[in-house]
Amino acid sequence: MAKSPEDEHPNKAFGWAARDTSGLLSPFHFSRRDNGADDVSIKILYCGVCHSDLHLLKNDWGITNYPLVPGHEIVGVVTSVGNNVKKFKAGDQVGVGVIVGSCKSCENCDQDLESYCPKMIYTYNSHSYDGVKNYGGYSDKIVVDQHFVLRFPDNLPLDAGAPLLCAGITVYSPMKYYGMTESGKHLGVVGLGGLGHVAVKFGKAFGLKVTVISTSPRKKEEAIDRLGADAFLVSSDPEQLKAAMGTMDYIIDTVSAIHALAPLLSLLKLNGKLVTVGLPNKPLELPVVSLVLGRRMVGGSNFGGLKETQEMLDFCAKNNITADIELIQMDDINSAIERLAKADVRYRFVIDIGNSLK
């Protein structure tokens, strides 16, 4: 007979879980494993609410395994470490992002690209190598292999820093890989949401000219005055698009909805790069003529590996980059998820786990 989630492991844990495709979250008792020799046990203080949490709660991708405890933008304090753990100790501020495991031996892992490992293990809605189900950060504690734990810089706010563990690294990684960091170049950021607003901040820190590209004219003031973008372009305005043709060196596209790529490609200079990090649920049409005639490139990117994520956190600490957040209590999570579905957040919900789950 299969054990209940509460009895699978020795250590009792508490969080909020969804039980079905309604996506409604409610209190949930489960358990975490003992702290092994290579493990770090963490008291969770904050957890960001990612758009992928919404998709998995509703089983939009057809892969959800209920009950589901979401959350992969986790920040907390170390409570204990295993005998083999040397770089963390009790009391340290740490973070846990999208994955908690990989094979550690494939070509991708050898290059610190665990996020592309064929055997990577997600922080939630996955199973560990022993077959036991993983639960995420909408909970009071977590136990993680030390390799997948990140040092959180002392001068980086824990609450506003939490979304960097997914939203931040998802835009930082492609910007670094595709060379979108050369001071004085022109970057277009498509979409001003959880990912896009951090991309604007990274672009400015790299010394780029940044233009926000959005379907919503009402976001112009916040893009320029609040986030520091240099310009704003309404993508549904043909005159604005025409005036901006061939002016951008790079575009990072954070939009997950179905949208046209042709207008975006027309904004690029010769040798320009369009990199997409959104995940539309249907294929996008790619106008090859625009690529050929402009010697342009279209690429994609996943979130970064652990080494690069640590680099990103240190970069954010040095440059005072955090996410713009709305801090909520755990009891507010269902209304927050409803608002997230309507894009009614500027720009990331973060759950105050430490003061919500006692």
Side-chain angles (χ1 to χ4, degrees), residues 277-306:
V277 294
L279 294 172
N281 57 11
K282 293 181 181 179
L284 302 182
E285 184 175 324
L286 182 62
V288 175
V289 171
S290 183
L291 298 184
V292 172
L293 298 183
R295 201 165 67 177
R296 297 168 177 133
M297 176 188 296
V298 173
S301 178
N302 201 4
F303 56 92
L306 274 297

Side-chain angles (χ1 to χ4, degrees), residues 219-230:
K219 291 188 177 181
K220 179 177 181 178
E221 183 176 352
E222 60 195 73
I224 295 175
D225 297 339
R226 178 174 171 176
L227 298 174
D230 299 283

Side-chain angles (χ1 to χ4, degrees), residues 1-290:
M1 182 176 176
K3 293 183 177 180
S4 70
E6 194 171 1
D7 297 323
E8 279 183 322
H9 294 297
N11 296 312
K12 302 302 181 185
F14 177 64
W16 280 47
R19 276 76 168 182
D20 54 43
T21 56
S22 71
L24 288 175
L25 291 143
S26 58
F28 178 64
H29 293 275
F30 64 108
S31 55
R32 300 285 193 187
R33 69 176 184 265
D34 272 334
N35 198 90
D38 293 307
D39 285 335
V40 177
S41 290
I42 301 165
K43 177 184 178 181
I44 299 174
L45 298 179
Y46 299 99
C47 186
V49 180
C50 179
H51 210 277
S52 60
D53 298 348
L54 170 63
H55 288 302
L56 286 164
L57 283 168
K58 302 283 189 178
N59 197 26
D60 290 342
W61 295 330
I63 59 172
T64 302
N65 183 6
Y66 298 104
L68 180 81
V69 177
H72 60 208
E73 296 177 343
I74 301 167
V75 178
V77 176
V78 175
T79 56
S80 63
V81 299
N83 292 333
N84 294 340
V85 178
K86 305 302 179 187
K87 64 178 182 178
F88 300 110
K89 64 182 185 305
D92 285 350
Q93 296 180 166
V94 294
V96 177
V98 182
I99 59 174
V100 293
S102 72
C103 75
K104 299 182 183 178
S105 60
C106 68
E107 182 178 359
N108 294 338
C109 286
D110 287 344
Q111 297 179 68
D112 299 307
L113 296 171
E114 300 91 345
S115 51
Y116 297 94
C117 174
K119 296 182 179 180
M120 68 175 169
I121 299 174
Y122 289 102
T123 301
Y124 71 92
N125 197 48
S126 66
H127 290 80
S128 297
Y129 292 128
D130 61 4
V132 176
K133 187 175 178 180
N134 289 328
Y135 297 103
Y138 293 15
S139 58
D140 59 353
K141 66 181 71 169
I142 193 168
V143 182
V144 181
D145 181 314
Q146 62 172 327
H147 183 79
F148 301 91
V149 178
L150 296 146
R151 177 182 51 79
F152 218 78
D154 290 337
N155 64 326
L156 197 60
L158 301 186
D159 52 0
L164 299 173
L165 294 164
C166 176
I169 189 58
T170 299
V171 291
Y172 182 89
S173 186
M175 291 179 76
K176 289 299 294 285
Y177 178 76
Y178 287 100
M180 305 163 74
T181 60
E182 188 178 346
S183 181
K185 296 289 189 179
H186 189 178
L187 170 71
V189 176
V190 186
L192 196 62
L195 276 66
H197 92 284
V198 180
V200 172
K201 296 185 180 187
F202 284 151
K204 295 307 297 179
F206 286 131
L208 303 173
K209 175 184 177 181
V210 178
T211 294
V212 171
I213 305 166
S214 174
T215 58
S216 177
R218 61 184 174 82
K219 291 188 177 181
K220 179 177 181 178
E221 183 176 352
E222 60 195 73
I224 295 175
D225 297 339
R226 178 174 171 176
L227 298 174
D230 299 283
F232 186 87
L233 180 62
V234 180
S235 57
S236 58
D237 187 326
E239 292 302 314
Q240 289 190 29
L241 289 175
K242 183 178 179 180
M245 284 180 62
T247 62
M248 299 179 189
D249 299 285
Y250 326 114
I251 293 175
I252 187 161
D253 185 352
T254 70
V255 175
S256 292
I258 302 299
H259 59 291
L261 294 180
L264 301 178
L265 288 170
S266 72
L267 300 174
L268 291 171
K269 297 177 181 178
L270 179 71
N271 301 324
K273 300 173 184 177
L274 169 65
V275 179
T276 179
V277 294
L279 294 172
N281 57 11
K282 293 181 181 179
L284 302 182
E285 184 175 324
L286 182 62
V288 175
V289 171
S290 183

